[in-house]
Amino acid sequence: MCIRDRRKKAAKDPERQEQFQQVDEKQEEQKILMRAIRDMNIPKFVAEDIPLFNALFSDLFPSEDIPESQNIIIEEAIRNAFQAEKLQLHESMILKVIQLYDSKRTRHGNMLIGSALSGKSTCWKILSKALNSLNEGEQSKYAGVKTVNLNPKSINLNELFGFVDQNTMEWNEGVLSHLMADICKEESARERWMILDGPVDTLWIESLNTVLDDNKVLTLSLIHISEPTRQAEISYAVFCLKKKK
């Protein structure tokens, strides 16, 4: 007896219908879990590691075939944003923008890694342009985006985070702390992205550990604290992280 016939027969029996419904819910829940595992890990891998991940994924779930996630509205907006900027439509680049969108929906801190001219800045700029265009037509569903760009290596640590003048004991606010305070104080539904575009080193990245973890707090001297809101996010656009030989 095929599945369709069994469902028709079960429709006449409330008890069997409930059993089928429970099975469908479990299968749907498993597919959602599998898709979340795949979609949240694929963007973090380099191209060489993706086939290995797919093989391991198939071994763990051999009987399940999960289709690719599709968001037609977002994809169309991204394609329109590429065309508005007079850029070529490369499917791999469109995929990266979609992956960034999915990552931002689940994480308040993201890092874009790649060599120079690999499209890191283009990726987040196209996504912000696409979301702003959607916000104009469907404000209730898609929030607009405000971006703040900063190169953390263009200034020293005192200028970046602020410092206490040892002579006057006065607090001198840094560029990053001032920008973060502004985007956190803003009362609007739009998202605020702080883009730290530059090389990563331990001199400044460690000071943001509490911002990137679940605390979401930037603590500075004199107990000066900025708490990013739900709409405030931090992204990094950095060069390839390679071990020196």
Side-chain angles (χ1 to χ4, degrees):
M1 183 183 297
C2 65
I3 296 178
R4 183 180 300 177
D5 293 336
R6 283 185 291 177
R7 290 187 182 277
K8 289 182 179 179
K9 188 175 181 180
K12 301 177 182 179
D13 187 347
E15 185 176 350
R16 294 194 61 184
Q17 187 177 9
E18 184 178 355
Q19 292 176 355
F20 266 100
Q21 185 177 0
Q22 291 176 353
V23 171
D24 289 342
E25 290 177 354
K26 290 181 180 179
Q27 290 178 347
E28 187 65 25
E29 183 178 349
Q30 183 176 357
K31 288 183 179 181
I32 293 174
L33 175 61
M34 291 168 60
R35 179 174 291 174
I37 294 173
R38 183 194 62 193
D39 293 348
M40 290 299 100
N41 283 281
I42 287 291
K44 297 188 292 186
F45 297 141
V46 296
E48 292 79 4
D49 291 339
I50 293 179
L52 178 60
F53 174 81
N54 289 333
L56 293 173
F57 199 78
S58 299
D59 291 340
L60 290 173
F61 308 101
S63 60
E64 294 291 344
D65 184 19
I66 305 301
E68 294 292 332
S69 300
Q70 290 185 341
N71 191 325
I72 299 176
I73 297 177
I74 287 292
E75 184 174 346
E76 183 179 357
I78 290 171
R79 291 181 181 274
N80 293 337
F82 271 104
Q83 293 175 345
E85 295 295 322
K86 301 186 184 320
L87 298 174
Q88 294 181 351
L89 292 174
H90 285 283
E91 295 300 323
S92 59
M93 191 65 187
I94 294 173
L95 176 62
K96 286 301 176 184
V97 179
I98 295 174
Q99 289 177 346
L100 178 61
Y101 171 74
D102 290 336
S103 296
K104 280 188 169 295
R105 293 174 65 191
T106 57
R107 304 182 182 96
H108 66 280
N110 294 274
M111 182 175 289
L112 302 175
I113 302 175
S115 56
L117 302 178
S118 62
K120 301 184 298 296
S121 297
T122 301
C123 189
W124 65 260
K125 287 179 180 178
I126 289 295
L127 179 58
S128 64
K129 187 177 183 66
L131 292 176
N132 282 329
S133 66
L134 289 174
N135 175 254
E136 295 174 0
E138 302 182 35
Q139 295 187 12
S140 60
K141 188 173 182 180
Y142 296 97
V145 177
K146 173 187 176 181
T147 59
V148 179
N149 202 352
L150 171 64
N151 184 351
K153 293 295 290 182
S154 62
I155 52 180
N156 60 46
L157 287 180
N158 286 340
E159 295 171 332
L160 185 64
F161 291 106
F163 66 98
V164 176
D165 192 319
Q166 297 299 321
N167 296 321
T168 62
M169 300 305 295
E170 292 182 350
W171 167 252
N172 296 272
E173 192 167 26
V175 177
L176 185 145
S177 58
H178 176 74
L179 292 176
M180 181 167 288
D182 283 346
I183 66 176
C184 292
K185 291 176 183 177
E186 181 178 331
E187 296 181 0
S188 67
R190 67 176 178 177
E191 298 179 0
R192 280 89 72 187
W193 298 354
M194 177 175 285
I195 312 295
L196 302 181
D197 192 348
V200 171
D201 62 26
T202 56
L203 295 178
W204 64 269
I205 192 65
E206 289 186 355
S207 298
L208 297 177
N209 284 340
T210 55
V211 180
L212 297 175
D213 61 21
D214 292 338
N215 293 312
K216 299 182 182 180
V217 173
L218 174 63
T219 305
L220 304 173
S221 301
L222 295 182
I223 319 299
H224 183 84
I225 298 176
S226 294
E227 297 187 28
T229 60
R230 182 179 180 275
Q231 289 79 18
E233 300 178 356
I234 296 180
S235 296
Y236 306 91
V238 303
F239 294 111
C240 287
L241 302 179
K242 293 182 178 180
K243 184 182 295 184
K244 295 183 178 179
K245 296 182 179 179

